[in-house]
Amino acid sequence: MAPAAQAGQPGQAGSSGQPGQAQAGSGGQSAATPPGGEPVQEHTTPGAAGYGAAQNTGSTSAYGSPSAEGYPNPWSAQAAAAAQTGSTQSAQQQQQPGTGQAYAGGQYSAYPQTGPNPYSAPGTSVYNVPAQREKKGTAGKLLAGVAAVSLVIGGVAGGTVGYFTGGSSGSSVNALDQPKPAQQTGNAPAGSVESVAQKLSPSVVELQVSGRSAAGEGSGFVISTDGYILTNNHVVEVAANGGQIQAVFQDGKKAAAKVVGRDPTTDIAVVKVSGVGNLKPVELGRSDDLRVGQQVVAIGSPYELTGTVTSGIVSSLHRPVQAGGDKTDQATVMDAIQTDAAINPGNSGGPLANMSGQVIGINSAIYSPNSGRGQGSGSEGGNVGIGFAIPIDQARRTADDIIKTGHATQTFIGAKVQDAPQGGAQLGDITPGSPAEKAGLKSGDVVTKIGDRVIDSANTLVAAVRTRAPNEQVTFTLADGRTVQVTLGGQPVPAN
């Protein structure tokens, strides 16, 4: 944001989103303050009354200060007054040096031909065409207006310098007359975003989903030549009981898909298409060796914009995130990869890939300040640089279970858990015969570590357990210093 002007007075806000008119202060800059925005620095000179307010003589510069060269003032009082009338002719006039008279067809016009006019009456543009009215109170559009004002100021000032230094002699060079450069040939450089997009895009699909009570869209990616597609549970759940799913491929082909199985606890689902040839499966990477700062690429269909490619880095690892349900529902906690690659509603289910084009995660959720953590096409939030993906190691195991058995297997310990007052995860009721009971864990025990991973909350414990496979033996460290060996259990997730 631009700092407030020193020793200058802020301008008055114009109507319908127009920037205010600057007033010059003594010995300082002036600032125009658009409604709801920060002051915008205006390049008026000390003692001047702003643009277009210089004396109507040939010895005054465009900025209201005496010109050493004696060149004409393209923003003289006469030209500025003519521009404010909305006259088309005034946009093509210029003073003759030393006379204060305007003439047509000179090197300078009073104003260029596009964009908003911060110096004319509300409702008119710099270019003497009606200015688009912005909705009052729309902060985003006001900011866009401020950016446009900055560009107009920069363009006009740059043109004035060209007039002073270049004059009118010599032949001009026109970019339109230059030949086209040679057409790009060859493959994209290995390890580039372009190469990842070329490798993965043919395998990414848009999933259009409809059910009895809702409809939406998301993304997925091909994992087998016989039609299996990996995606998020929340993308396809509305079609799980009698709904419809249509897969749209990069080449425009469309095919009906059906749900093979889904796991709400990990937000993973597998669907299958039939009768589609030449399917190209992705290459799966691994997520257990990811590093913070590593570059990644996301591909999907945000807001139905099929085949959108974005890039960023791994911002954090092992981030406990609820993939659905309410804030107290631990049934949907996942151990997420956090990324700043732009992920928006509709990206859900699409791949997050490393720079070798290997899928290392499934884009699943975003953080939005207005709506909390949301995901898929149902979220009203947009990208703020905080997105979450399911690690591919966990997704691979779940998808394999679904394809082979028709349902997912959930890793568990058999104990309720809540946040401990002093940090960690406090165990509640222990299920008889569960892995927790067999290991000797008791209600009230506080878990602070699993293996080398610090456990600072109940969600962290749930996420850490679910990233591991059933029958894996892990070490629990408790707040009192004891360590307990726990053999994790596995139970089928009901297919509903």
Side-chain angles (χ1 to χ4, degrees):
M1 295 297 182
Q6 300 297 317
Q9 298 297 323
Q12 300 299 316
S15 62
S16 302
Q18 297 292 336
Q21 302 300 315
Q23 295 178 349
S26 175
Q29 293 178 321
S30 65
T33 306
E38 294 288 339
V40 179
Q41 294 291 335
E42 303 285 5
H43 299 286
T44 54
T45 54
Y51 289 112
Q55 297 176 2
N56 185 15
T57 69
S59 61
T60 306
S61 74
Y63 297 96
S65 60
S67 169
E69 302 292 336
Y71 285 105
N73 172 17
W75 289 303
S76 66
Q78 181 176 355
Q84 291 182 348
T85 66
S87 168
T88 302
Q89 181 180 3
S90 66
Q92 300 175 347
Q93 293 181 340
Q94 179 188 341
Q95 289 178 309
Q96 295 182 7
T99 66
Q101 300 299 314
Y103 68 93
Q107 284 186 301
Y108 269 94
S109 62
Y111 298 101
Q113 288 296 316
T114 57
N117 176 12
Y119 314 116
S120 65
T124 63
S125 75
V126 171
Y127 313 111
N128 302 312
V129 294
Q132 292 184 350
R133 290 183 177 270
E134 306 287 1
K135 295 181 180 179
K136 294 184 178 180
T138 306
K141 292 193 174 182
L142 287 176
L143 288 175
V146 171
V149 169
S150 299
L151 290 173
V152 169
I153 294 173
V156 174
T160 304
V161 172
Y163 176 81
F164 288 147
T165 59
S168 58
S169 62
S171 60
S172 65
V173 176
N174 192 328
L176 299 177
D177 297 330
Q178 299 175 7
K180 289 183 179 180
Q183 189 172 16
Q184 296 185 57
T185 59
N187 296 326
S192 65
V193 174
E194 183 183 359
S195 67
V196 174
Q198 287 181 356
K199 180 178 180 178
L200 272 182
S201 292
S203 305
V204 180
V205 300
E206 179 186 11
L207 296 175
Q208 300 172 346
V209 183
S210 62
R212 288 176 292 182
S213 59
E217 59 91 30
S219 305
F221 52 93
V222 177
I223 57 173
S224 73
T225 56
D226 57 347
Y228 286 106
I229 295 172
L230 191 54
T231 185
N232 284 143
N233 170 68
H234 74 260
V235 170
V236 300
E237 63 183 342
V238 299
N241 297 305
Q244 295 181 335
I245 304 173
Q246 181 172 249
V248 183
F249 295 85
Q250 183 195 38
D251 59 4
K253 292 180 181 177
K254 298 180 180 180
K258 65 177 182 178
V259 176
V260 177
R262 59 194 187 92
D263 180 9
T265 67
T266 58
D267 197 27
I268 293 170
V270 177
V271 301
K272 188 177 183 182
V273 296
S274 300
V276 181
N278 300 320
L279 294 180
K280 182 181 178 181
V282 300
E283 179 184 355
L284 299 180
R286 58 189 301 163
S287 52
D288 60 354
D289 62 351
L290 291 175
R291 299 179 301 276
V292 173
Q294 180 176 339
Q295 289 186 310
V296 289
V297 174
I299 305 179
S301 303
Y303 300 107
E304 301 184 34
L305 299 174
T306 306
T308 297
V309 178
T310 57
S311 65
I313 63 169
V314 173
S315 303
S316 184
L317 295 167
H318 305 300
R319 185 75 75 189
V321 173
Q322 290 168 296
D326 58 39
K327 293 182 179 180
T328 62
D329 183 8
Q330 294 174 335
T332 58
V333 175
M334 63 180 179
D335 193 46
I337 302 165
Q338 182 180 326
T339 180
D340 68 348
I343 296 174
N344 285 289
N347 270 116
S348 284
L352 186 70
N354 60 25
M355 300 312 291
S356 296
Q358 300 168 328
V359 177
I360 50 87
I362 304 175
N363 302 318
S364 182
I366 58 176
Y367 179 82
S368 175
N370 295 327
S371 60
R373 291 186 178 109
Q375 65 286 322
S377 58
S379 171
E380 294 182 359
N383 173 63
V384 294
I386 304 176
F388 304 101
I390 302 167
I392 199 61
D393 292 350
Q394 180 179 359
R396 179 200 290 260
R397 185 177 66 249
T398 301
D400 191 52
D401 284 344
I402 290 174
I403 292 172
K404 290 178 178 178
T405 68
H407 61 77
T409 301
Q410 181 190 73
T411 308
F412 78 109
I413 61 171
K416 292 185 177 180
V417 62
Q418 63 184 15
D419 292 343
Q422 302 302 320
Q426 183 174 330
L427 302 183
D429 296 339
I430 307 293
T431 303
S434 67
E437 185 188 56
K438 292 177 181 178
L441 293 171
K442 306 293 184 183
S443 178
D445 285 342
V446 176
V447 181
T448 57
K449 290 180 71 176
I450 292 183
D452 295 330
R453 180 172 178 176
V454 174
I455 303 300
D456 57 3
S457 68
N459 281 351
T460 304
L461 174 60
V462 173
V465 168
R466 289 187 180 153
T467 60
R468 299 173 181 268
N471 300 318
E472 184 177 346
Q473 190 175 67
V474 295
T475 301
F476 280 37
T477 301
L478 307 182
D480 59 9
R482 291 183 294 136
T483 58
V484 178
Q485 298 298 313
V486 180
T487 301
L488 302 176
Q491 59 186 6
V493 177
N496 51 11

